[in-house]
Amino acid sequence: MKPLNNIVSHFKESIFSTMTKLAVENQAINLSQGFPDFDGPSWVIDLATKALQDGKNQYAPSFGILPLREAISANYKRYYQLDYNPHDEIVVTNGATEALYCAITALVNPGDEVVVFEPFYDSYYACLLLAQAKVVPVTLKIPHFKFDLEELKKSISSKTKLLIINNPHNPTGKIFSNHEIEEIAKLANEFDFYILSDEVYEFLTFEKNHTPTASFHSLKDRTITISSTGKTFGLTGWKIGWAAGNPQLIKAIHNVHQFSTFCVAHPLQVAMAQALANMDQYLLEFKRDYLNKRDLLVSGLRKAGFNVQNPEGTYFALAFLPDGESDIEFCQKLIKDKKVAAIPTSAFYLKSNEGSSMIRFCFAKKNETLQSALNNLGL
Ligand code: PMP
Ligand code: GLN
């Protein structure tokens, strides 16, 4: 038979699926793939049950139901003083993943250069390959995961169409400093490129609060802000995400969305619209619980002898391996011998080999799960 699409034929299984499968096969505690092992808030699930019973079961409008877009818009205003018109500056997508796919497809022509900070989330690279972009990685260097401004400047040319930033950052837990974003802003204005800002961990921050890229001077018009409710409500399976940006960008992103999925699960949108409009109290508890989980895992791993960074955001913590160890073999040993699964971070790199010296643990797990993992690791 004739060969299939020659880009897709080279795609490998995502590292998250691989490690979760290995965890199940080895009956290991799964601190690899990023998802909670506990349910989302029952009051939000009750809202979805009600929406299902109220007959919200046919296609939703392709842009997303208006009350959800209004709730997203109101939260940008409320938490960040950012204005997004719910009528033409927000499109609801199947999680942030679909928003990323639609935005990259809508913006990038074959041969356009796209700058991505590595380590990066795996779906960016797949979407960029499909769009036939030239991917230009810029490394966030260990141990502080700052980019080198000279390296960034050298990576940008008149062909740069887009820069992708993930803030708070998976897998490092970094929050970009204002200074770093201002440097990016200067380059974006000078070289006239767009910014895709993946902010799915916007509410998972600890000592510092999140600042959206679009709220920096002069960046609002050229930034597409992507987020989702998967992490914030611990409901990763609902896949309610969105892109926000100027009306021309959102129209183009919607053009892709209408022919990839058309719309997003209707009853879940109804529930999320109400949840997003009433989340102040919930957010306080959410942040407190995750801060406890972070401290439990980080201090436990340190006691077990790991050199671990304290993440500023996300639900991931990175451990630096002893000299001579490499991430893939270390994760294999950890699963087999200690029955704990983590992610080898080389999977997030294209250019640098720094990833082979680290592994990522997820702390979006019940305290008992984290404690059992720490016991297995020798505590
Ligand atoms: N971006 C980043 C950085 C992520 O870690 C994830 C994973 N959950 C996503 C996007 C995808 O988000 P969603 O589940 O809403 O598609
Ligand atoms: N974002 C999650 C992580 O980083 C995984 C999402 C997925 O499995 N695609 O682990």
Side-chain angles (χ1 to χ4, degrees):
M1 285 200 276
K2 288 184 178 158
L4 307 183
N5 176 280
N6 54 23
I7 298 172
V8 177
S9 342
H10 290 103
F11 285 179
K12 298 196 206 100
E13 182 180 61
S14 118
I15 190 68
F16 309 114
S17 310
T18 306
M19 296 316 292
T20 288
K21 251 195 249 167
L22 279 178
V24 173
E25 277 166 27
N26 287 276
Q27 294 175 320
I29 298 170
N30 190 3
L31 305 189
S32 66
Q33 192 176 18
F35 66 91
D37 68 345
F38 46 89
D39 213 351
S42 57
W43 62 276
V44 183
I45 293 167
D46 290 345
L47 291 168
T49 310
K50 184 167 184 312
L52 282 162
Q53 285 164 349
D54 281 353
K56 303 289 184 199
N57 296 311
Q58 307 308 331
Y59 293 131
S62 182
F63 267 94
I65 60 167
L66 187 58
L68 177 55
R69 286 180 282 138
E70 284 172 340
I72 294 166
S73 165
N75 280 354
Y76 277 115
K77 185 79 184 161
R78 180 176 176 72
Y79 296 117
Y80 312 117
Q81 296 76 51
L82 267 174
D83 289 305
Y84 284 114
N85 184 335
H87 293 279
D88 58 3
E89 295 192 315
I90 293 170
V91 57
V92 175
T93 56
N94 237 284
T97 309
E98 200 222 346
L100 288 160
Y101 170 77
C102 294
I104 290 170
T105 307
L107 263 77
V108 175
N109 287 314
D112 282 349
E113 293 182 7
V114 178
V115 174
V116 200
F117 291 112
E118 67 173 11
F120 54 74
Y121 184 59
D122 61 352
S123 86
Y124 306 167
Y125 187 52
C127 295
L128 291 170
L129 289 179
L130 285 174
Q132 298 181 51
K134 180 169 173 233
V135 182
V136 186
V138 171
T139 309
L140 299 172
K141 298 221 164 60
I142 55 175
H144 301 299
F145 299 106
K146 290 196 177 307
F147 58 82
D148 171 15
L149 186 56
E150 286 316 305
E151 184 189 350
L152 178 62
K153 282 183 179 164
K154 278 195 202 126
S155 307
I156 286 164
S157 77
S158 57
K159 291 197 190 138
T160 307
K161 173 67 82 63
L162 182 68
L163 175 144
I164 305 181
I165 182 171
N166 169 216
N167 191 26
H169 184 260
N170 175 10
T172 65
K174 168 195 171 78
I175 295 183
F176 283 75
S177 70
N178 289 358
H179 176 69
E180 285 176 299
I181 303 204
E182 277 153 13
E183 292 295 350
I184 295 170
K186 276 190 223 154
L187 292 166
N189 289 322
E190 184 183 341
F191 289 89
D192 184 25
F193 55 81
Y194 296 99
I195 298 180
L196 193 53
S197 191
D198 173 351
E199 302 181 7
V200 296
Y201 299 98
E202 61 182 312
F203 292 110
L204 255 173
T205 57
F206 305 111
E207 285 77 17
K208 288 190 202 165
N209 279 331
H210 172 66
T211 309
T213 305
S215 64
F216 281 78
H217 176 63
S218 75
L219 283 187
K220 172 113 188 299
D221 225 31
R222 55 175 75 254
T223 299
I224 299 143
T225 306
I226 286 177
S227 192
S228 80
T229 58
K231 330 289 162 191
T232 309
F233 285 97
L235 293 164
T236 58
W238 282 29
K239 299 294 288 184
I240 304 279
W242 58 85
N246 82 43
Q248 290 84 346
L249 292 173
I250 293 306
K251 184 165 183 272
I253 293 169
H254 172 257
N255 281 342
V256 182
H257 166 73
Q258 72 173 337
F259 296 125
S260 55
T261 55
F262 186 75
C263 70
V264 173
H266 195 161
L268 301 184
Q269 291 193 56
V270 173
M272 259 317 154
Q274 295 167 51
L276 284 172
N278 294 289
M279 64 194 271
D280 281 356
Q281 182 57 34
Y282 166 75
L283 274 184
L284 294 177
E285 292 155 21
F286 169 77
K287 285 197 178 215
R288 188 201 55 211
D289 289 351
Y290 271 99
L291 182 63
N292 286 337
K293 291 182 189 303
R294 180 195 71 170
D295 292 347
L296 175 63
L297 183 74
V298 169
S299 64
L301 286 173
R302 283 180 179 159
K303 279 190 208 140
F306 282 91
N307 176 5
V308 189
Q309 287 223 330
N310 212 19
E312 296 173 303
T314 77
Y315 45 48
F316 304 113
L318 281 184
F320 294 108
L321 300 178
D323 284 348
E325 296 281 2
S326 112
D327 65 333
I328 297 176
E329 289 95 76
F330 198 91
C331 283
Q332 282 164 348
K333 271 195 292 181
L334 214 58
I335 288 192
K336 288 214 173 76
D337 301 347
K338 304 282 185 184
K339 302 285 174 207
V340 175
I343 295 278
T345 59
S346 52
F348 300 105
Y349 285 81
L350 211 54
K351 186 166 76 167
S352 162
N353 57 12
E354 288 189 347
S356 60
S357 64
M358 294 171 289
I359 59 174
R360 188 195 80 177
F361 292 96
C362 173
F363 52 86
K365 308 292 166 189
K366 291 179 199 139
N367 290 0
E368 305 92 88
T369 310
L370 295 172
Q371 199 51 63
S372 304
L374 292 169
N375 294 344
N376 287 5
L377 291 172
L379 272 185

